Amino acid sequence: MVNFILADNQELTAFALKTLLREVEGAVSYDVSGKEQLIEQLQVQENSIVLLDYTLFDIQDEEQLLIIIERFPKTQWILVSDDLTAQTMRKLVYATRHVSIVFKDSPFKLFRHAIDYAIRGERYLCQRAAEVLICQQADEGQSPKVLTQTEIEILRGVAQGKTTKEIASERFSSIHTVNTHKKNIFKKLQVNTAHEAVKYAFRAGLVDPSEFYI
């Protein structure tokens, strides 16, 4: 029997992964919707394979994810995501051999490859992840991109705990426009979550921590 934990709050992806797992002999899958449920399930079934999109989960950043990974050393992790920064991938890949990476736009067969590797206790990196990691060293010499004034204002709103809808209303913009700005902010700061973006902004002096309560 092989235990799988599906930790992906995107319904379409979760459905596709369940369909794929039906092809794995002896596979038993469990759904979790948040960090606490994930930890509770791992306490019962540590010898599991977790399929996780942590950018859609209530895991704040890669440091918090690494703490959970280190807590359950018998667990294999397959990160399934629309996008992960090179910084995040490098930190996770260098810190542990229990993490595999597959992007959601990868061919379906690559998900099966990742699962087969995890069952054998081995790491799998899809080609796109490998290429990003290889190219990162050259990119690190480039100057970081600067946030626009609009992006800084939206980041301040995020730091204040405002929702996308509230920020859009204050700026007389659409939710789609604000989400596009947020994606651009994440890309420029090379982060994956709002929590990481706010921490980065505080460290860089883009926003004043004394003004906000996180």
Side-chain angles (χ1 to χ4, degrees):
M1 183 174 68
V2 185
N3 295 313
F4 290 89
I5 300 176
L6 297 180
D8 191 320
N9 289 325
Q10 195 171 60
E11 291 185 7
L12 186 59
T13 305
F15 176 80
L17 291 173
K18 288 178 182 178
T19 301
L20 180 59
L21 291 179
R22 294 192 189 104
E23 301 175 0
V24 179
E25 184 176 355
V28 178
S29 64
Y30 305 87
D31 293 318
V32 295
S33 59
K35 179 181 64 178
E36 295 304 321
Q37 284 188 356
L38 173 60
I39 292 173
E40 288 174 2
Q41 188 61 48
L42 286 173
Q43 288 173 336
V44 177
Q45 300 283 358
E46 181 179 350
N47 191 13
S48 297
I49 298 171
V50 178
L51 296 122
L52 168 71
D53 185 345
Y54 102 95
T55 63
L56 298 179
F57 236 55
D58 58 344
I59 296 175
Q60 293 182 338
D61 50 34
E62 62 264 22
E63 285 88 356
Q64 190 175 81
L65 176 57
L66 278 172
I67 291 172
I68 299 173
I69 291 173
E70 292 171 1
R71 182 177 173 183
F72 300 100
K74 296 181 181 180
T75 303
Q76 293 290 327
W77 301 77
I78 302 176
L79 298 191
V80 181
S81 179
D82 284 323
D83 195 19
L84 288 171
T85 65
Q87 178 183 357
T88 293
M89 288 191 289
R90 185 175 67 170
K91 183 175 291 187
L92 294 171
V93 168
Y94 286 3
T96 175
R97 293 194 58 83
H98 296 291
V99 170
S100 298
I101 299 174
V102 184
F103 288 100
K104 288 186 177 180
D105 60 358
S106 299
F108 210 51
K109 65 180 181 181
L110 298 190
F111 291 88
R112 182 56 193 263
H113 290 338
I115 289 170
D116 291 340
Y117 271 66
I119 290 173
R120 298 197 300 266
E122 300 174 5
R123 174 169 42 216
Y124 178 84
L125 299 177
C126 69
Q127 182 176 352
R128 177 180 162 193
E131 289 175 349
V132 169
L133 289 170
I134 291 170
C135 294
Q136 185 193 18
Q137 187 172 359
D139 293 339
E140 285 177 345
Q142 300 177 3
S143 300
K145 295 181 179 179
V146 179
L147 296 183
T148 66
Q149 185 59 39
T150 296
E151 289 167 345
I152 292 174
E153 291 172 1
I154 289 174
L155 186 55
R156 284 176 176 151
V158 173
Q160 291 173 313
K162 296 177 181 177
T163 65
T164 300
K165 183 177 180 180
E166 290 171 335
I167 295 172
S169 177
E170 289 179 356
R171 298 187 58 80
F172 303 100
S173 300
S174 69
I175 292 175
H176 173 74
T177 298
V178 173
N179 278 331
T180 299
H181 282 304
K182 288 171 69 175
K183 288 180 180 178
N184 290 335
I185 292 168
F186 289 5
K187 184 175 181 180
K188 287 183 178 181
L189 299 185
Q190 297 186 13
V191 299
N192 295 291
T193 67
H195 181 81
E196 290 174 326
V198 171
K199 287 201 307 182
Y200 187 104
F202 285 165
R203 290 196 301 267
L206 296 175
V207 293
D208 184 355
S210 66
E211 298 179 18
F212 308 114
Y213 176 76
I214 303 298

